[in-house]
Amino acid sequence: MSSPEAPVPLVIGTRGSPLALAQARQVAWRLFEALNGGAQHAQTGEEAPEGIVIAAIKTTGDLILDRALSEAGGKGLFTRELDAALLDGRTHLAVHSAKDLPTELPDGLVIAGCLPREDVRDAFISLRASSLADLPAGAVVGTASLRRQAQVLRLRPDLRITLLRGNVGTRLRRIEAGEIDATLLAMAGLNRLGLTHKAAGPIPVEAMLPAIGQGAIAIVTRAEDDAVRALVSAIADRPTGIALEAERAFLRVLDGSCRTPIAGYARVDGDRIDFSGLLLSEDGRETVAVTRAGSAADARALGEDAGREVLARAGPGLLPHRAGGKD
């Protein structure tokens, strides 16, 4: 479908990591095809297609490598500069890993659509063991995710957790150098970078529930930019958008951030949706798990209802900011 109203060049904002750029290129080529009547075009190298510019923007989160994001301000650290570029008109859309998006977007910005979801599972990566269960007692697992930390300790309380920040390549190099015994990464990221072979194997969702939005690429635009929103809608995947709506509604009710170990995954099959949610203490000893099933048309309400059940069942140890003020 031709879209003469779409700006030329169309400028896509993204973080500058290899994974972020790969995701932005994927969006760029799908948009290019939509602008050219849906004709399939072979992606060439690492360049954006004609008429589309990919602008790599350094974010605060990319600069903080010495501590967990939970100690530095949370998920918004990966999106603030991209939001600013959108709002002041330097870019027309921004491409994000959906799991990096904060619970609430700034006024004037919306998630205009998502690409079809990739593998949602976490990947186990180690040169010492083929699975989490096979790691020796006291082995060191590196991660910056409280969600992964809590679920690892829930399964293996005998393991030690250490901070591991950086992009995918940096984390893999630290494994290869023998600095840590194992780490966990998103299978989706490894697949998109052609690094699937680096995983010892995926961890089943039943054993480790993914992050909200894991595996999904979200496209954010200005709410008032009708031309760009229409273009994004032409490449948007409906089931992924519905699943993300349920998951983010669950997160919003819990007021979740990087400072709270929260996991959630919605599966959409036609007009039906199934949701599983989980809240954990940082050491994995306390948990509240919920499930919901219903109509895909009620995705947001279903996610909110699941979140309210967690709030009702969670003690102050699981949601300390609810008990004594938000930190």
Side-chain angles (χ1 to χ4, degrees):
M1 178 178 67
S2 177
S3 179
E5 296 181 355
V8 179
L10 185 69
V11 183
I12 298 175
T14 178
R15 293 168 60 197
S17 73
L19 177 57
L21 291 169
Q23 293 177 165
R25 285 193 296 271
Q26 189 176 347
V27 170
W29 281 96
R30 286 176 181 260
L31 291 172
F32 179 75
E33 291 167 1
L35 285 165
N36 288 274
Q40 297 291 311
H41 295 264
Q43 182 171 338
T44 56
E46 297 187 352
E47 299 299 319
E50 183 180 356
I52 298 179
V53 174
I54 295 176
I57 298 172
K58 185 78 74 173
T59 71
T60 304
D62 295 314
L63 301 174
I64 299 173
L65 298 175
D66 61 344
R67 60 193 186 279
L69 292 180
S70 57
E71 300 173 4
K75 291 183 180 181
L77 297 173
F78 282 134
T79 61
R80 288 176 191 165
E81 287 80 3
L82 294 174
D83 292 341
L86 261 178
L87 290 169
D88 67 18
R90 283 177 287 148
T91 61
H92 300 108
L93 55 96
V95 175
H96 301 276
S97 292
K99 67 178 183 178
D100 288 339
L101 290 174
T103 311
E104 299 287 351
L105 299 186
D107 290 342
L109 300 183
V110 295
I111 299 174
C114 300
L115 295 195
R117 201 168 196 171
E118 246 280 8
D119 194 330
V120 303
R121 296 173 294 179
D122 286 300
F124 177 75
I125 298 169
S126 175
L127 299 180
R128 296 196 61 187
S130 59
S131 69
L132 193 63
D134 292 335
L135 280 173
V140 177
V141 177
T143 182
S145 162
L146 288 181
R147 175 192 64 87
R148 287 176 176 143
Q149 169 186 306
Q151 293 195 85
V152 166
L153 293 176
R154 181 189 186 193
L155 296 169
R156 289 289 307 274
D158 58 299
L159 297 178
R160 293 187 293 146
I161 305 294
T162 190
L163 177 68
L164 178 61
R165 289 288 316 280
N167 61 35
V168 171
T170 298
R171 301 186 203 192
L172 291 175
R173 284 191 291 273
R174 292 192 62 182
I175 286 283
E176 292 163 358
E179 296 178 26
I180 53 177
D181 298 309
T183 190
L184 303 171
L185 295 171
M187 280 298 310
L190 294 176
N191 292 344
R192 289 176 181 136
L193 288 171
L195 297 173
T196 309
H197 61 284
K198 295 290 186 178
I203 302 175
V205 169
E206 294 73 20
M208 184 166 289
L209 207 60
I212 301 298
Q214 186 154 306
I217 295 174
I219 305 168
V220 174
T221 70
R222 290 186 290 275
E224 63 185 19
D225 195 336
D226 294 336
V228 174
R229 289 185 68 178
L231 180 59
V232 172
S233 71
I235 67 169
D237 183 70
R238 175 181 174 272
T240 301
I242 292 171
L244 192 61
E245 186 174 21
E247 293 172 18
R248 286 178 58 78
F250 174 72
L251 188 69
R252 192 175 299 113
V253 168
L254 295 178
D255 198 18
S257 71
C258 284
R259 291 171 284 184
T260 313
I262 296 171
Y265 175 41
R267 304 169 182 83
V268 176
D269 184 5
D271 293 327
R272 301 296 296 173
I273 186 169
D274 291 280
F275 174 78
S276 298
L278 183 65
L279 174 70
L280 307 97
S281 60
E282 292 186 19
D283 60 9
R285 293 179 181 178
E286 296 181 65
T287 64
V288 177
V290 293
T291 59
R292 288 290 187 278
S295 169
D298 299 325
R300 178 177 297 182
L302 182 145
E304 290 173 345
D305 188 59
R308 286 191 291 269
E309 180 184 336
V310 170
L311 286 181
R313 293 169 52 195
L318 285 170
L319 288 170
H321 65 273
R322 290 277 174 176
K326 192 171 180 179
D327 57 8

